[in-house]
Amino acid sequence: MMISTKGRYALRVLIDLAQHQTDGYLPLKEIAARQDISEKYLESILKTLVHNKILVGMRGKGGGYRLTHAPEEYTVYKILMLTEENLAPVACLGKNAKPCAREAYCPTLPMWKELHRLTTSYLDGITIADLAKQPHTDLSAL
C-alpha cells in the first residue's frame, strides 16, 4: 500500500485545522503556508474534503475552512478512504476487484487478507485528534 501525496496532505491539513480550530474559519492561504503545500493543489484536496462533509468552507471576508465535527470523530482510515483509490495490499482485495481465478487455492491470500485487516484496524484506531496531539518539529528552525 502506497499512500499518495493527496492522502498525506489531507491528513496534514486536518491536523492543522484541529490544532487551530479555536481560530474559526482558517483561510486556505494560511493553511497552505503553514503546511508548505501549493494553494492550487490544496484547493483540490479541500474540495474533496468539503464534498464529503469533512470540512465546511465559507467565502468572503473572515472565510476559510473548518472541521464539521470534532477531530476525535475522524479516523486516519476514513480520510485515506476518501483520498486514495485503493488501500488494499494486493489487487485482488481492492475495490471493485475482479474475482481471482486462483482464489480457491491461493496459498498467500489468507496472509494478504490478514495484512489488510490489520492495517485497516490500525488506521481506523488513530484519529485526527490523536495526531494533532503529537509533538512536532518547527521546520522553519531547520
Side-chain angles (χ1 to χ4, degrees), residues 84-104:
E84 303 300 313
E85 285 188 31
N86 191 359
L87 292 175
V90 290
C92 63
L93 296 178
K95 284 192 245 176
N96 305 319
K98 296 178 183 171
C100 177
R102 300 179 50 87
E103 181 177 355

Side-chain angles (χ1 to χ4, degrees), residues 53-66:
K53 297 180 179 21
I54 303 297
L55 301 178
V56 63
M58 187 172 85
R59 294 179 183 241
K61 186 172 172 74
Y65 296 88
R66 67 175 176 79

Side-chain angles (χ1 to χ4, degrees), residues 11-130:
L11 291 172
R12 284 174 39 192
V13 165
L14 293 174
I15 293 164
D16 187 284
L17 288 165
Q19 291 172 331
H20 297 93
Q21 65 184 343
T22 58
D23 300 340
Y25 286 89
L26 297 174
L28 178 139
K29 191 174 210 156
E30 287 180 19
I31 300 166
R34 271 195 302 269
Q35 294 303 317
D36 194 26
I37 301 171
S38 82
E39 289 181 35
K40 187 168 181 75
Y41 192 44
L42 184 56
E43 282 177 7
S44 72
I45 294 168
L46 293 174
K47 183 178 180 181
T48 298
L49 296 173
V50 168
H51 176 76
N52 287 284
K53 297 180 179 21
I54 303 297
L55 301 178
V56 63
M58 187 172 85
R59 294 179 183 241
K61 186 172 172 74
Y65 296 88
R66 67 175 176 79
L67 299 172
T68 56
H69 299 344
E72 294 82 8
E73 295 184 40
Y74 301 113
T75 67
V76 169
Y77 180 74
K78 179 178 182 174
I79 303 308
L80 292 178
M81 286 301 293
L82 297 175
T83 59
E84 303 300 313
E85 285 188 31
N86 191 359
L87 292 175
V90 290
C92 63
L93 296 178
K95 284 192 245 176
N96 305 319
K98 296 178 183 171
C100 177
R102 300 179 50 87
E103 181 177 355
Y105 57 90
C106 178
T108 62
L109 186 58
M111 174 191 65
W112 295 126
K113 284 183 175 180
E114 180 63 6
L115 176 61
H116 190 45
R117 187 193 67 73
L118 288 169
T119 55
T120 297
S121 175
Y122 176 72
L123 295 174
D124 207 33
I126 302 170
T127 67
I128 295 301
D130 296 331

